[in-house]
Short mmCIF file of all heavy atoms in Angstrom, two decimals:
data_model
loop_
_atom_site.label_atom_id
_atom_site.label_comp_id
_atom_site.label_asym_id
_atom_site.label_seq_id
_atom_site.Cartn_x
_atom_site.Cartn_y
_atom_site.Cartn_z
N GLY A 1 84.72 84.60 77.59
CA GLY A 1 84.04 84.50 76.30
C GLY A 1 82.72 83.78 76.39
O GLY A 1 81.71 84.21 75.80
N ALA A 2 82.69 82.63 77.12
CA ALA A 2 81.46 81.87 77.27
C ALA A 2 80.37 82.69 77.94
O ALA A 2 79.18 82.58 77.61
CB ALA A 2 81.73 80.60 78.05
N LYS A 3 80.77 83.54 78.90
CA LYS A 3 79.77 84.30 79.67
C LYS A 3 79.33 85.58 78.96
O LYS A 3 78.15 85.94 79.04
CB LYS A 3 80.37 84.63 81.04
CG LYS A 3 79.37 85.25 82.00
CD LYS A 3 79.91 85.35 83.40
CE LYS A 3 78.85 85.92 84.34
NZ LYS A 3 79.33 86.02 85.74
N TYR A 4 80.26 86.24 78.28
CA TYR A 4 79.95 87.61 77.81
C TYR A 4 79.86 87.78 76.29
O TYR A 4 79.30 88.77 75.84
CB TYR A 4 80.98 88.59 78.38
CG TYR A 4 80.93 88.74 79.86
CD1 TYR A 4 81.96 88.19 80.67
CD2 TYR A 4 79.86 89.34 80.51
CE1 TYR A 4 81.91 88.30 82.04
CE2 TYR A 4 79.80 89.47 81.88
CZ TYR A 4 80.84 88.93 82.65
OH TYR A 4 80.79 89.06 84.01
N LEU A 5 80.45 86.86 75.51
CA LEU A 5 80.33 87.02 74.07
C LEU A 5 78.91 86.69 73.62
O LEU A 5 78.42 85.61 73.95
CB LEU A 5 81.35 86.14 73.35
CG LEU A 5 82.80 86.61 73.31
CD1 LEU A 5 83.67 85.55 72.66
CD2 LEU A 5 82.93 87.93 72.59
N PRO A 6 78.27 87.56 72.89
CA PRO A 6 76.91 87.26 72.43
C PRO A 6 76.92 86.29 71.26
O PRO A 6 77.92 86.14 70.59
CB PRO A 6 76.37 88.63 72.01
CG PRO A 6 77.60 89.37 71.56
CD PRO A 6 78.72 88.90 72.43
N LYS A 7 75.78 85.67 71.03
CA LYS A 7 75.63 84.82 69.83
C LYS A 7 75.19 85.69 68.67
O LYS A 7 74.26 86.48 68.78
CB LYS A 7 74.61 83.71 70.10
CG LYS A 7 75.10 82.64 71.06
CD LYS A 7 74.12 81.48 71.11
CE LYS A 7 74.64 80.38 72.03
NZ LYS A 7 73.72 79.24 72.09
N PHE A 8 75.89 85.52 67.56
CA PHE A 8 75.56 86.28 66.35
C PHE A 8 74.73 85.40 65.42
O PHE A 8 74.89 84.18 65.40
CB PHE A 8 76.85 86.71 65.63
CG PHE A 8 77.69 87.69 66.41
CD1 PHE A 8 78.65 87.23 67.29
CD2 PHE A 8 77.53 89.05 66.25
CE1 PHE A 8 79.43 88.13 68.01
CE2 PHE A 8 78.28 89.96 66.95
CZ PHE A 8 79.25 89.49 67.85
N PRO A 9 73.85 86.02 64.61
CA PRO A 9 73.15 85.22 63.63
C PRO A 9 74.15 84.65 62.61
O PRO A 9 75.04 85.34 62.17
CB PRO A 9 72.20 86.24 62.98
CG PRO A 9 72.78 87.58 63.28
CD PRO A 9 73.46 87.44 64.61
N GLN A 10 73.95 83.37 62.28
CA GLN A 10 74.84 82.72 61.32
C GLN A 10 74.47 83.12 59.90
O GLN A 10 73.30 83.16 59.54
CB GLN A 10 74.76 81.21 61.48
CG GLN A 10 75.33 80.72 62.83
CD GLN A 10 75.18 79.23 63.00
OE1 GLN A 10 74.98 78.74 64.10
NE2 GLN A 10 75.29 78.47 61.90
N GLY A 11 75.52 83.41 59.11
CA GLY A 11 75.30 83.70 57.71
C GLY A 11 75.24 82.44 56.89
O GLY A 11 75.46 81.32 57.39
N LYS A 12 74.95 82.61 55.62
CA LYS A 12 74.94 81.47 54.71
C LYS A 12 76.35 81.23 54.21
O LYS A 12 76.92 82.09 53.52
CB LYS A 12 73.98 81.73 53.54
CG LYS A 12 73.86 80.51 52.63
CD LYS A 12 72.89 80.80 51.48
CE LYS A 12 72.77 79.57 50.58
NZ LYS A 12 71.87 79.80 49.43
N PRO A 13 76.97 80.13 54.58
CA PRO A 13 78.38 79.92 54.17
C PRO A 13 78.52 79.72 52.67
O PRO A 13 77.68 79.06 52.04
CB PRO A 13 78.77 78.66 54.94
CG PRO A 13 77.50 77.94 55.17
CD PRO A 13 76.45 78.99 55.32
N PRO A 14 79.55 80.27 52.08
CA PRO A 14 79.79 80.02 50.66
C PRO A 14 80.28 78.61 50.42
O PRO A 14 80.62 77.89 51.40
CB PRO A 14 80.88 81.04 50.30
CG PRO A 14 81.61 81.27 51.61
CD PRO A 14 80.57 81.15 52.68
N ALA A 15 80.33 78.20 49.19
CA ALA A 15 80.85 76.87 48.87
C ALA A 15 82.31 76.77 49.29
O ALA A 15 83.10 77.68 49.01
CB ALA A 15 80.70 76.61 47.38
N LEU A 16 82.67 75.71 49.95
CA LEU A 16 84.01 75.54 50.46
C LEU A 16 84.95 75.07 49.34
O LEU A 16 84.65 74.11 48.62
CB LEU A 16 84.04 74.55 51.62
CG LEU A 16 85.38 74.39 52.32
CD1 LEU A 16 85.87 75.72 52.90
CD2 LEU A 16 85.28 73.34 53.43
N ASP A 17 86.08 75.76 49.19
CA ASP A 17 87.07 75.43 48.15
C ASP A 17 87.98 74.31 48.68
O ASP A 17 89.07 74.56 49.17
CB ASP A 17 87.85 76.71 47.82
CG ASP A 17 88.93 76.48 46.78
OD1 ASP A 17 88.94 75.41 46.15
OD2 ASP A 17 89.75 77.39 46.60
N MET A 18 87.50 73.07 48.55
CA MET A 18 88.22 71.94 49.13
C MET A 18 89.56 71.72 48.43
O MET A 18 90.57 71.41 49.08
CB MET A 18 87.36 70.65 49.00
CG MET A 18 86.21 70.60 49.99
SD MET A 18 86.75 70.59 51.70
CE MET A 18 87.70 69.08 51.78
N ILE A 19 89.58 71.85 47.10
CA ILE A 19 90.85 71.60 46.36
C ILE A 19 91.90 72.67 46.79
O ILE A 19 93.06 72.32 47.01
CB ILE A 19 90.61 71.65 44.85
CG1 ILE A 19 89.62 70.57 44.45
CG2 ILE A 19 91.92 71.48 44.10
CD1 ILE A 19 89.29 70.55 42.97
N GLY A 20 91.47 73.90 46.94
CA GLY A 20 92.39 74.94 47.39
C GLY A 20 92.89 74.65 48.78
O GLY A 20 94.08 74.89 49.10
N MET A 21 92.01 74.13 49.67
CA MET A 21 92.44 73.80 51.02
C MET A 21 93.51 72.75 51.04
O MET A 21 94.40 72.73 51.90
CB MET A 21 91.24 73.30 51.83
CG MET A 21 90.33 74.39 52.39
SD MET A 21 89.02 73.65 53.37
CE MET A 21 89.97 72.83 54.64
N ILE A 22 93.47 71.81 50.09
CA ILE A 22 94.47 70.73 50.05
C ILE A 22 95.77 71.21 49.44
O ILE A 22 96.86 70.93 49.92
CB ILE A 22 93.90 69.53 49.25
CG1 ILE A 22 92.68 68.92 49.98
CG2 ILE A 22 94.98 68.47 49.02
CD1 ILE A 22 91.93 67.89 49.17
N LEU A 23 95.67 71.97 48.33
CA LEU A 23 96.84 72.40 47.60
C LEU A 23 97.68 73.42 48.33
O LEU A 23 98.92 73.40 48.27
CB LEU A 23 96.46 72.92 46.22
CG LEU A 23 95.95 71.91 45.19
CD1 LEU A 23 95.44 72.58 43.95
CD2 LEU A 23 97.08 70.91 44.83
N ALA A 24 97.03 74.38 49.02
CA ALA A 24 97.77 75.48 49.65
C ALA A 24 98.79 74.99 50.69
O ALA A 24 99.98 75.37 50.61
CB ALA A 24 96.80 76.49 50.28
N PRO A 25 98.42 74.15 51.66
CA PRO A 25 99.44 73.70 52.64
C PRO A 25 100.57 72.90 51.98
O PRO A 25 101.71 73.02 52.39
CB PRO A 25 98.63 72.81 53.60
CG PRO A 25 97.22 73.26 53.45
CD PRO A 25 97.07 73.65 52.01
N ILE A 26 100.21 72.07 50.95
CA ILE A 26 101.25 71.30 50.28
C ILE A 26 102.24 72.25 49.62
O ILE A 26 103.48 72.10 49.71
CB ILE A 26 100.63 70.36 49.22
CG1 ILE A 26 99.79 69.27 49.93
CG2 ILE A 26 101.71 69.70 48.37
CD1 ILE A 26 99.02 68.39 48.95
N ALA A 27 101.71 73.27 48.91
CA ALA A 27 102.58 74.19 48.19
C ALA A 27 103.48 74.97 49.14
O ALA A 27 104.70 75.01 48.99
CB ALA A 27 101.72 75.17 47.38
N PHE A 28 102.89 75.56 50.16
CA PHE A 28 103.65 76.49 51.04
C PHE A 28 104.66 75.71 51.89
O PHE A 28 105.82 76.13 52.04
CB PHE A 28 102.71 77.28 51.93
CG PHE A 28 101.74 78.14 51.16
CD1 PHE A 28 100.47 78.38 51.62
CD2 PHE A 28 102.13 78.73 49.97
CE1 PHE A 28 99.57 79.18 50.92
CE2 PHE A 28 101.26 79.53 49.25
CZ PHE A 28 99.99 79.75 49.73
N SER A 29 104.25 74.57 52.48
CA SER A 29 105.17 73.83 53.33
C SER A 29 106.30 73.21 52.51
O SER A 29 107.46 73.19 52.95
CB SER A 29 104.44 72.73 54.08
OG SER A 29 103.77 71.84 53.21
N SER A 30 106.01 72.73 51.30
CA SER A 30 107.07 72.14 50.45
C SER A 30 108.09 73.18 50.03
O SER A 30 109.31 72.93 50.06
CB SER A 30 106.45 71.47 49.22
OG SER A 30 105.60 70.41 49.57
N ILE A 31 107.61 74.37 49.63
CA ILE A 31 108.54 75.40 49.22
C ILE A 31 109.38 75.89 50.42
O ILE A 31 110.60 76.07 50.28
CB ILE A 31 107.78 76.58 48.60
CG1 ILE A 31 107.14 76.15 47.28
CG2 ILE A 31 108.70 77.78 48.34
CD1 ILE A 31 106.25 77.20 46.64
#
């Protein structure tokens, strides 16, 4: 991968859903 994978132009990242990132693992692992 280091030798042959090309570098791609980076896109503009969307706003990160931090609250969703916290709630999802809590919900799924608890259930």
Side-chain angles (χ1 to χ4, degrees):
K3 187 170 183 179
Y4 295 109
L5 282 176
K7 289 188 177 180
F8 295 89
Q10 293 176 215
K12 184 179 180 181
L16 186 59
D17 179 11
M18 286 297 299
I19 299 178
M21 279 183 61
I22 295 170
L23 289 174
I26 294 173
F28 299 146
S29 58
S30 297
I31 293 175

